[in-house]
PDB file of all heavy atoms in Angstrom:
ATOM      1  N   PRO O 499       5.737   0.609 -19.978  1.00  0.00           N
ATOM      2  CA  PRO O 499       6.892   1.263 -20.614  1.00  0.00           C
ATOM      3  C   PRO O 499       7.274   2.505 -19.858  1.00  0.00           C
ATOM      4  O   PRO O 499       6.429   3.367 -19.568  1.00  0.00           O
ATOM      5  CB  PRO O 499       6.372   1.612 -22.035  1.00  0.00           C
ATOM      6  CG  PRO O 499       5.325   0.582 -22.285  1.00  0.00           C
ATOM      7  CD  PRO O 499       4.649   0.347 -20.948  1.00  0.00           C
ATOM      8  N   GLY O 500       8.552   2.627 -19.527  1.00  0.00           N
ATOM      9  CA  GLY O 500       9.049   3.789 -18.801  1.00  0.00           C
ATOM     10  C   GLY O 500       8.717   3.842 -17.380  1.00  0.00           C
ATOM     11  O   GLY O 500       8.967   4.872 -16.678  1.00  0.00           O
ATOM     12  N   GLU O 501       8.102   2.789 -16.851  1.00  0.00           N
ATOM     13  CA  GLU O 501       7.633   2.774 -15.463  1.00  0.00           C
ATOM     14  C   GLU O 501       8.378   1.698 -14.662  1.00  0.00           C
ATOM     15  O   GLU O 501       8.877   0.770 -15.222  1.00  0.00           O
ATOM     16  CB  GLU O 501       6.124   2.567 -15.345  1.00  0.00           C
ATOM     17  CG  GLU O 501       5.290   3.574 -16.091  1.00  0.00           C
ATOM     18  CD  GLU O 501       5.319   4.961 -15.450  1.00  0.00           C
ATOM     19  OE1 GLU O 501       5.554   5.027 -14.189  1.00  0.00           O
ATOM     20  OE2 GLU O 501       5.118   5.950 -16.106  1.00  0.00           O
ATOM     21  N   GLN O 502       8.385   1.838 -13.328  1.00  0.00           N
ATOM     22  CA  GLN O 502       8.914   0.812 -12.473  1.00  0.00           C
ATOM     23  C   GLN O 502       7.992  -0.373 -12.374  1.00  0.00           C
ATOM     24  O   GLN O 502       6.799  -0.244 -12.616  1.00  0.00           O
ATOM     25  CB  GLN O 502       9.234   1.374 -11.105  1.00  0.00           C
ATOM     26  CG  GLN O 502       8.024   1.770 -10.280  1.00  0.00           C
ATOM     27  CD  GLN O 502       8.336   2.315  -8.903  1.00  0.00           C
ATOM     28  OE1 GLN O 502       9.024   3.331  -8.845  1.00  0.00           O
ATOM     29  NE2 GLN O 502       7.914   1.640  -7.862  1.00  0.00           N
ATOM     30  N   ARG O 503       8.577  -1.496 -12.051  1.00  0.00           N
ATOM     31  CA  ARG O 503       7.764  -2.716 -11.868  1.00  0.00           C
ATOM     32  C   ARG O 503       6.975  -2.613 -10.588  1.00  0.00           C
ATOM     33  O   ARG O 503       7.523  -2.287  -9.531  1.00  0.00           O
ATOM     34  CB  ARG O 503       8.696  -3.888 -11.820  1.00  0.00           C
ATOM     35  CG  ARG O 503       8.013  -5.252 -11.951  1.00  0.00           C
ATOM     36  CD  ARG O 503       8.995  -6.390 -12.132  1.00  0.00           C
ATOM     37  NE  ARG O 503       9.834  -6.232 -13.336  1.00  0.00           N
ATOM     38  CZ  ARG O 503      10.766  -7.094 -13.701  1.00  0.00           C
ATOM     39  NH1 ARG O 503      10.972  -8.202 -13.023  1.00  0.00           N
ATOM     40  NH2 ARG O 503      11.450  -6.848 -14.806  1.00  0.00           N
ATOM     41  N   LYS O 504       5.682  -2.847 -10.679  1.00  0.00           N
ATOM     42  CA  LYS O 504       4.751  -2.674  -9.546  1.00  0.00           C
ATOM     43  C   LYS O 504       4.039  -3.980  -9.231  1.00  0.00           C
ATOM     44  O   LYS O 504       3.665  -4.728 -10.137  1.00  0.00           O
ATOM     45  CB  LYS O 504       3.734  -1.597  -9.847  1.00  0.00           C
ATOM     46  CG  LYS O 504       4.309  -0.176 -10.055  1.00  0.00           C
ATOM     47  CD  LYS O 504       3.230   0.819 -10.344  1.00  0.00           C
ATOM     48  CE  LYS O 504       3.841   2.205 -10.516  1.00  0.00           C
ATOM     49  NZ  LYS O 504       2.788   3.216 -10.848  1.00  0.00           N
ATOM     50  N   LEU O 505       3.819  -4.202  -7.956  1.00  0.00           N
ATOM     51  CA  LEU O 505       3.086  -5.379  -7.471  1.00  0.00           C
ATOM     52  C   LEU O 505       1.632  -5.275  -7.853  1.00  0.00           C
ATOM     53  O   LEU O 505       0.986  -4.252  -7.554  1.00  0.00           O
ATOM     54  CB  LEU O 505       3.273  -5.548  -5.956  1.00  0.00           C
ATOM     55  CG  LEU O 505       2.568  -6.706  -5.335  1.00  0.00           C
ATOM     56  CD1 LEU O 505       3.147  -8.041  -5.833  1.00  0.00           C
ATOM     57  CD2 LEU O 505       2.699  -6.637  -3.780  1.00  0.00           C
ATOM     58  N   VAL O 506       1.112  -6.325  -8.461  1.00  0.00           N
ATOM     59  CA  VAL O 506      -0.298  -6.393  -8.848  1.00  0.00           C
ATOM     60  C   VAL O 506      -1.070  -7.270  -7.840  1.00  0.00           C
ATOM     61  O   VAL O 506      -2.147  -6.898  -7.388  1.00  0.00           O
ATOM     62  CB  VAL O 506      -0.457  -6.944 -10.243  1.00  0.00           C
ATOM     63  CG1 VAL O 506      -1.934  -7.163 -10.626  1.00  0.00           C
ATOM     64  CG2 VAL O 506       0.227  -5.975 -11.223  1.00  0.00           C
ATOM     65  N   ALA O 507      -0.570  -8.447  -7.568  1.00  0.00           N
ATOM     66  CA  ALA O 507      -1.280  -9.418  -6.718  1.00  0.00           C
ATOM     67  C   ALA O 507      -0.323 -10.421  -6.132  1.00  0.00           C
ATOM     68  O   ALA O 507       0.703 -10.744  -6.735  1.00  0.00           O
ATOM     69  CB  ALA O 507      -2.377 -10.109  -7.485  1.00  0.00           C
ATOM     70  N   THR O 508      -0.630 -10.929  -4.941  1.00  0.00           N
ATOM     71  CA  THR O 508       0.159 -11.937  -4.295  1.00  0.00           C
ATOM     72  C   THR O 508      -0.792 -13.012  -3.701  1.00  0.00           C
ATOM     73  O   THR O 508      -1.836 -12.696  -3.169  1.00  0.00           O
ATOM     74  CB  THR O 508       0.977 -11.344  -3.127  1.00  0.00           C
ATOM     75  OG1 THR O 508       1.925 -10.392  -3.640  1.00  0.00           O
ATOM     76  CG2 THR O 508       1.747 -12.446  -2.347  1.00  0.00           C
ATOM     77  N   VAL O 509      -0.368 -14.253  -3.814  1.00  0.00           N
ATOM     78  CA  VAL O 509      -0.972 -15.336  -3.078  1.00  0.00           C
ATOM     79  C   VAL O 509       0.103 -16.069  -2.293  1.00  0.00           C
ATOM     80  O   VAL O 509       1.121 -16.476  -2.826  1.00  0.00           O
ATOM     81  CB  VAL O 509      -1.802 -16.323  -3.995  1.00  0.00           C
ATOM     82  CG1 VAL O 509      -0.874 -16.889  -5.056  1.00  0.00           C
ATOM     83  CG2 VAL O 509      -2.415 -17.425  -3.161  1.00  0.00           C
ATOM     84  N   THR O 510      -0.037 -16.075  -0.952  1.00  0.00           N
ATOM     85  CA  THR O 510       0.988 -16.664  -0.100  1.00  0.00           C
ATOM     86  C   THR O 510       0.968 -18.180  -0.141  1.00  0.00           C
ATOM     87  O   THR O 510       0.069 -18.801  -0.762  1.00  0.00           O
ATOM     88  CB  THR O 510       0.797 -16.199   1.334  1.00  0.00           C
ATOM     89  OG1 THR O 510      -0.365 -16.797   1.898  1.00  0.00           O
ATOM     90  CG2 THR O 510       0.678 -14.677   1.426  1.00  0.00           C
ATOM     91  N   ASN O 511       2.005 -18.758   0.517  1.00  0.00           N
ATOM     92  CA  ASN O 511       2.039 -20.211   0.557  1.00  0.00           C
ATOM     93  C   ASN O 511       0.838 -20.779   1.326  1.00  0.00           C
ATOM     94  O   ASN O 511       0.473 -21.947   1.143  1.00  0.00           O
ATOM     95  CB  ASN O 511       3.353 -20.685   1.188  1.00  0.00           C
ATOM     96  CG  ASN O 511       3.562 -20.151   2.612  1.00  0.00           C
ATOM     97  OD1 ASN O 511       2.832 -19.365   3.157  1.00  0.00           O
ATOM     98  ND2 ASN O 511       4.619 -20.661   3.248  1.00  0.00           N
ATOM     99  N   GLY O 512       0.244 -19.984   2.163  1.00  0.00           N
ATOM    100  CA  GLY O 512      -0.950 -20.399   2.889  1.00  0.00           C
ATOM    101  C   GLY O 512      -2.243 -20.082   2.221  1.00  0.00           C
ATOM    102  O   GLY O 512      -3.322 -20.415   2.736  1.00  0.00           O
ATOM    103  N   GLY O 513      -2.201 -19.439   1.050  1.00  0.00           N
ATOM    104  CA  GLY O 513      -3.381 -19.201   0.248  1.00  0.00           C
ATOM    105  C   GLY O 513      -4.022 -17.825   0.455  1.00  0.00           C
ATOM    106  O   GLY O 513      -5.093 -17.521  -0.167  1.00  0.00           O
ATOM    107  N   SER O 514      -3.424 -16.966   1.293  1.00  0.00           N
ATOM    108  CA  SER O 514      -3.925 -15.640   1.463  1.00  0.00           C
ATOM    109  C   SER O 514      -3.632 -14.765   0.209  1.00  0.00           C
ATOM    110  O   SER O 514      -2.586 -14.906  -0.383  1.00  0.00           O
ATOM    111  CB  SER O 514      -3.381 -14.962   2.671  1.00  0.00           C
ATOM    112  OG  SER O 514      -3.705 -15.651   3.850  1.00  0.00           O
ATOM    113  N   THR O 515      -4.554 -13.869  -0.146  1.00  0.00           N
ATOM    114  CA  THR O 515      -4.347 -13.057  -1.335  1.00  0.00           C
ATOM    115  C   THR O 515      -4.375 -11.580  -0.982  1.00  0.00           C
ATOM    116  O   THR O 515      -4.936 -11.140   0.028  1.00  0.00           O
ATOM    117  CB  THR O 515      -5.474 -13.310  -2.361  1.00  0.00           C
ATOM    118  OG1 THR O 515      -6.748 -13.027  -1.780  1.00  0.00           O
ATOM    119  CG2 THR O 515      -5.420 -14.746  -2.859  1.00  0.00           C
ATOM    120  N   LYS O 516      -3.648 -10.808  -1.812  1.00  0.00           N
ATOM    121  CA  LYS O 516      -3.577  -9.355  -1.669  1.00  0.00           C
ATOM    122  C   LYS O 516      -3.498  -8.751  -3.050  1.00  0.00           C
ATOM    123  O   LYS O 516      -2.841  -9.291  -3.950  1.00  0.00           O
ATOM    124  CB  LYS O 516      -2.372  -8.945  -0.827  1.00  0.00           C
ATOM    125  CG  LYS O 516      -2.273  -7.459  -0.591  1.00  0.00           C
ATOM    126  CD  LYS O 516      -1.077  -7.121   0.314  1.00  0.00           C
ATOM    127  CE  LYS O 516      -0.965  -5.663   0.551  1.00  0.00           C
ATOM    128  NZ  LYS O 516       0.206  -5.305   1.436  1.00  0.00           N
ATOM    129  N   TYR O 517      -4.147  -7.616  -3.256  1.00  0.00           N
ATOM    130  CA  TYR O 517      -4.204  -6.972  -4.572  1.00  0.00           C
ATOM    131  C   TYR O 517      -3.883  -5.511  -4.480  1.00  0.00           C
ATOM    132  O   TYR O 517      -4.186  -4.821  -3.492  1.00  0.00           O
ATOM    133  CB  TYR O 517      -5.663  -7.113  -5.181  1.00  0.00           C
ATOM    134  CG  TYR O 517      -6.061  -8.574  -5.400  1.00  0.00           C
ATOM    135  CD1 TYR O 517      -6.788  -9.234  -4.362  1.00  0.00           C
ATOM    136  CD2 TYR O 517      -5.792  -9.235  -6.517  1.00  0.00           C
ATOM    137  CE1 TYR O 517      -7.200 -10.520  -4.584  1.00  0.00           C
ATOM    138  CE2 TYR O 517      -6.199 -10.505  -6.734  1.00  0.00           C
ATOM    139  CZ  TYR O 517      -6.888 -11.175  -5.737  1.00  0.00           C
ATOM    140  OH  TYR O 517      -7.273 -12.476  -5.919  1.00  0.00           O
ATOM    141  N   ALA O 518      -3.328  -4.987  -5.529  1.00  0.00           N
ATOM    142  CA  ALA O 518      -3.187  -3.552  -5.693  1.00  0.00           C
ATOM    143  C   ALA O 518      -4.569  -2.933  -5.791  1.00  0.00           C
ATOM    144  O   ALA O 518      -5.454  -3.551  -6.377  1.00  0.00           O
ATOM    145  CB  ALA O 518      -2.333  -3.223  -6.893  1.00  0.00           C
ATOM    146  N   ASP O 519      -4.697  -1.720  -5.289  1.00  0.00           N
ATOM    147  CA  ASP O 519      -6.012  -1.077  -5.315  1.00  0.00           C
ATOM    148  C   ASP O 519      -6.577  -0.963  -6.707  1.00  0.00           C
ATOM    149  O   ASP O 519      -7.804  -1.037  -6.927  1.00  0.00           O
ATOM    150  CB  ASP O 519      -5.923   0.310  -4.649  1.00  0.00           C
ATOM    151  CG  ASP O 519      -5.793   0.238  -3.160  1.00  0.00           C
ATOM    152  OD1 ASP O 519      -6.068  -0.815  -2.534  1.00  0.00           O
ATOM    153  OD2 ASP O 519      -5.384   1.268  -2.580  1.00  0.00           O
ATOM    154  N   SER O 520      -5.677  -0.747  -7.696  1.00  0.00           N
ATOM    155  CA  SER O 520      -6.126  -0.498  -9.040  1.00  0.00           C
ATOM    156  C   SER O 520      -6.778  -1.717  -9.680  1.00  0.00           C
ATOM    157  O   SER O 520      -7.463  -1.578 -10.705  1.00  0.00           O
ATOM    158  CB  SER O 520      -4.944  -0.048  -9.878  1.00  0.00           C
ATOM    159  OG  SER O 520      -3.912  -1.059  -9.907  1.00  0.00           O
ATOM    160  N   VAL O 521      -6.597  -2.938  -9.140  1.00  0.00           N
ATOM    161  CA  VAL O 521      -7.134  -4.144  -9.766  1.00  0.00           C
ATOM    162  C   VAL O 521      -8.133  -4.842  -8.880  1.00  0.00           C
ATOM    163  O   VAL O 521      -8.699  -5.846  -9.297  1.00  0.00           O
ATOM    164  CB  VAL O 521      -6.011  -5.126 -10.198  1.00  0.00           C
ATOM    165  CG1 VAL O 521      -4.984  -4.438 -11.048  1.00  0.00           C
ATOM    166  CG2 VAL O 521      -5.381  -5.771  -8.921  1.00  0.00           C
ATOM    167  N   LYS O 522      -8.379  -4.361  -7.690  1.00  0.00           N
ATOM    168  CA  LYS O 522      -9.356  -5.012  -6.804  1.00  0.00           C
ATOM    169  C   LYS O 522     -10.718  -5.099  -7.439  1.00  0.00           C
ATOM    170  O   LYS O 522     -11.207  -4.112  -7.999  1.00  0.00           O
ATOM    171  CB  LYS O 522      -9.430  -4.222  -5.487  1.00  0.00           C
ATOM    172  CG  LYS O 522      -8.243  -4.473  -4.539  1.00  0.00           C
ATOM    173  CD  LYS O 522      -8.397  -3.680  -3.239  1.00  0.00           C
ATOM    174  CE  LYS O 522      -7.213  -3.927  -2.337  1.00  0.00           C
ATOM    175  NZ  LYS O 522      -7.307  -3.103  -1.090  1.00  0.00           N
ATOM    176  N   GLY O 523     -11.318  -6.273  -7.343  1.00  0.00           N
ATOM    177  CA  GLY O 523     -12.603  -6.527  -7.899  1.00  0.00           C
ATOM    178  C   GLY O 523     -12.615  -6.903  -9.338  1.00  0.00           C
ATOM    179  O   GLY O 523     -13.619  -7.318  -9.899  1.00  0.00           O
ATOM    180  N   ARG O 524     -11.441  -6.776 -10.040  1.00  0.00           N
ATOM    181  CA  ARG O 524     -11.335  -7.149 -11.440  1.00  0.00           C
ATOM    182  C   ARG O 524     -10.388  -8.349 -11.650  1.00  0.00           C
ATOM    183  O   ARG O 524     -10.621  -9.104 -12.566  1.00  0.00           O
ATOM    184  CB  ARG O 524     -10.840  -5.957 -12.252  1.00  0.00           C
ATOM    185  CG  ARG O 524     -11.723  -4.785 -12.184  1.00  0.00           C
ATOM    186  CD  ARG O 524     -11.267  -3.679 -13.138  1.00  0.00           C
ATOM    187  NE  ARG O 524      -9.942  -3.148 -12.852  1.00  0.00           N
ATOM    188  CZ  ARG O 524      -8.905  -3.210 -13.669  1.00  0.00           C
ATOM    189  NH1 ARG O 524      -9.017  -3.787 -14.865  1.00  0.00           N
ATOM    190  NH2 ARG O 524      -7.732  -2.727 -13.336  1.00  0.00           N
ATOM    191  N   PHE O 525      -9.334  -8.460 -10.843  1.00  0.00           N
ATOM    192  CA  PHE O 525      -8.336  -9.525 -11.040  1.00  0.00           C
ATOM    193  C   PHE O 525      -8.451 -10.492  -9.900  1.00  0.00           C
ATOM    194  O   PHE O 525      -8.820 -10.132  -8.764  1.00  0.00           O
ATOM    195  CB  PHE O 525      -6.902  -8.953 -11.001  1.00  0.00           C
ATOM    196  CG  PHE O 525      -6.533  -8.107 -12.220  1.00  0.00           C
ATOM    197  CD1 PHE O 525      -7.453  -7.729 -13.126  1.00  0.00           C
ATOM    198  CD2 PHE O 525      -5.217  -7.742 -12.350  1.00  0.00           C
ATOM    199  CE1 PHE O 525      -7.095  -6.950 -14.235  1.00  0.00           C
ATOM    200  CE2 PHE O 525      -4.830  -6.964 -13.463  1.00  0.00           C
ATOM    201  CZ  PHE O 525      -5.759  -6.600 -14.393  1.00  0.00           C
ATOM    202  N   THR O 526      -8.161 -11.759 -10.181  1.00  0.00           N
ATOM    203  CA  THR O 526      -8.094 -12.822  -9.197  1.00  0.00           C
ATOM    204  C   THR O 526      -6.835 -13.632  -9.347  1.00  0.00           C
ATOM    205  O   THR O 526      -6.574 -14.151 -10.429  1.00  0.00           O
ATOM    206  CB  THR O 526      -9.333 -13.745  -9.270  1.00  0.00           C
ATOM    207  OG1 THR O 526     -10.552 -12.979  -9.130  1.00  0.00           O
ATOM    208  CG2 THR O 526      -9.271 -14.780  -8.204  1.00  0.00           C
ATOM    209  N   ILE O 527      -6.077 -13.728  -8.250  1.00  0.00           N
ATOM    210  CA  ILE O 527      -4.873 -14.564  -8.296  1.00  0.00           C
ATOM    211  C   ILE O 527      -5.198 -15.884  -7.575  1.00  0.00           C
ATOM    212  O   ILE O 527      -5.926 -15.924  -6.596  1.00  0.00           O
ATOM    213  CB  ILE O 527      -3.658 -13.881  -7.569  1.00  0.00           C
ATOM    214  CG1 ILE O 527      -2.373 -14.658  -7.830  1.00  0.00           C
ATOM    215  CG2 ILE O 527      -3.934 -13.602  -6.133  1.00  0.00           C
ATOM    216  CD1 ILE O 527      -1.129 -13.936  -7.400  1.00  0.00           C
ATOM    217  N   SER O 528      -4.703 -16.985  -8.102  1.00  0.00           N
ATOM    218  CA  SER O 528      -4.926 -18.272  -7.545  1.00  0.00           C
ATOM    219  C   SER O 528      -3.710 -19.180  -7.835  1.00  0.00           C
ATOM    220  O   SER O 528      -2.862 -18.851  -8.632  1.00  0.00           O
ATOM    221  CB  SER O 528      -6.183 -18.923  -8.065  1.00  0.00           C
ATOM    222  OG  SER O 528      -6.133 -19.121  -9.510  1.00  0.00           O
ATOM    223  N   ARG O 529      -3.631 -20.283  -7.063  1.00  0.00           N
ATOM    224  CA  ARG O 529      -2.513 -21.197  -7.290  1.00  0.00           C
ATOM    225  C   ARG O 529      -3.025 -22.652  -7.254  1.00  0.00           C
ATOM    226  O   ARG O 529      -3.988 -22.958  -6.549  1.00  0.00           O
ATOM    227  CB  ARG O 529      -1.424 -20.994  -6.213  1.00  0.00           C
ATOM    228  CG  ARG O 529      -1.864 -21.310  -4.801  1.00  0.00           C
ATOM    229  CD  ARG O 529      -0.830 -20.783  -3.789  1.00  0.00           C
ATOM    230  NE  ARG O 529       0.447 -21.435  -3.952  1.00  0.00           N
ATOM    231  CZ  ARG O 529       1.586 -20.911  -3.499  1.00  0.00           C
ATOM    232  NH1 ARG O 529       1.605 -19.703  -2.915  1.00  0.00           N
ATOM    233  NH2 ARG O 529       2.747 -21.588  -3.671  1.00  0.00           N
ATOM    234  N   ASP O 530      -2.359 -23.484  -8.006  1.00  0.00           N
ATOM    235  CA  ASP O 530      -2.636 -24.919  -8.046  1.00  0.00           C
ATOM    236  C   ASP O 530      -1.318 -25.600  -7.648  1.00  0.00           C
ATOM    237  O   ASP O 530      -0.402 -25.709  -8.462  1.00  0.00           O
ATOM    238  CB  ASP O 530      -3.091 -25.367  -9.396  1.00  0.00           C
ATOM    239  CG  ASP O 530      -3.517 -26.827  -9.421  1.00  0.00           C
ATOM    240  OD1 ASP O 530      -3.107 -27.606  -8.554  1.00  0.00           O
ATOM    241  OD2 ASP O 530      -4.253 -27.217 -10.339  1.00  0.00           O
ATOM    242  N   ASN O 531      -1.271 -25.993  -6.382  1.00  0.00           N
ATOM    243  CA  ASN O 531       0.041 -26.556  -5.883  1.00  0.00           C
ATOM    244  C   ASN O 531       0.351 -27.890  -6.521  1.00  0.00           C
ATOM    245  O   ASN O 531       1.502 -28.277  -6.563  1.00  0.00           O
ATOM    246  CB  ASN O 531      -0.026 -26.706  -4.353  1.00  0.00           C
ATOM    247  CG  ASN O 531       0.042 -25.365  -3.635  1.00  0.00           C
ATOM    248  OD1 ASN O 531       0.481 -24.376  -4.228  1.00  0.00           O
ATOM    249  ND2 ASN O 531      -0.390 -25.296  -2.415  1.00  0.00           N
ATOM    250  N   THR O 532      -0.645 -28.648  -6.963  1.00  0.00           N
ATOM    251  CA  THR O 532      -0.369 -29.908  -7.611  1.00  0.00           C
ATOM    252  C   THR O 532       0.244 -29.740  -8.955  1.00  0.00           C
ATOM    253  O   THR O 532       0.930 -30.660  -9.446  1.00  0.00           O
ATOM    254  CB  THR O 532      -1.666 -30.731  -7.750  1.00  0.00           C
ATOM    255  OG1 THR O 532      -2.586 -30.118  -8.651  1.00  0.00           O
ATOM    256  CG2 THR O 532      -2.362 -30.897  -6.403  1.00  0.00           C
TER     257      THR O 532
END
């Protein structure tokens, strides 16, 4: 609330992942292409 939208995590089309520092070690992003 009252804040800008911020990136939390990304998984690329190749499967590489990236996380905001605030969630590293706690959050996991994954994808199921099927």
Side-chain angles (χ1 to χ4, degrees):
E501 303 290 334
Q502 68 181 61
R503 194 171 299 182
K504 297 180 179 179
L505 179 64
V506 175
T508 297
V509 56
T510 69
N511 61 353
S514 299
T515 59
K516 183 178 181 180
Y517 300 92
D519 288 343
S520 60
V521 307
K522 286 181 180 176
R524 300 188 297 120
F525 290 10
T526 302
I527 189 170
S528 61
R529 65 192 297 159
D530 186 339
N531 288 340
T532 66

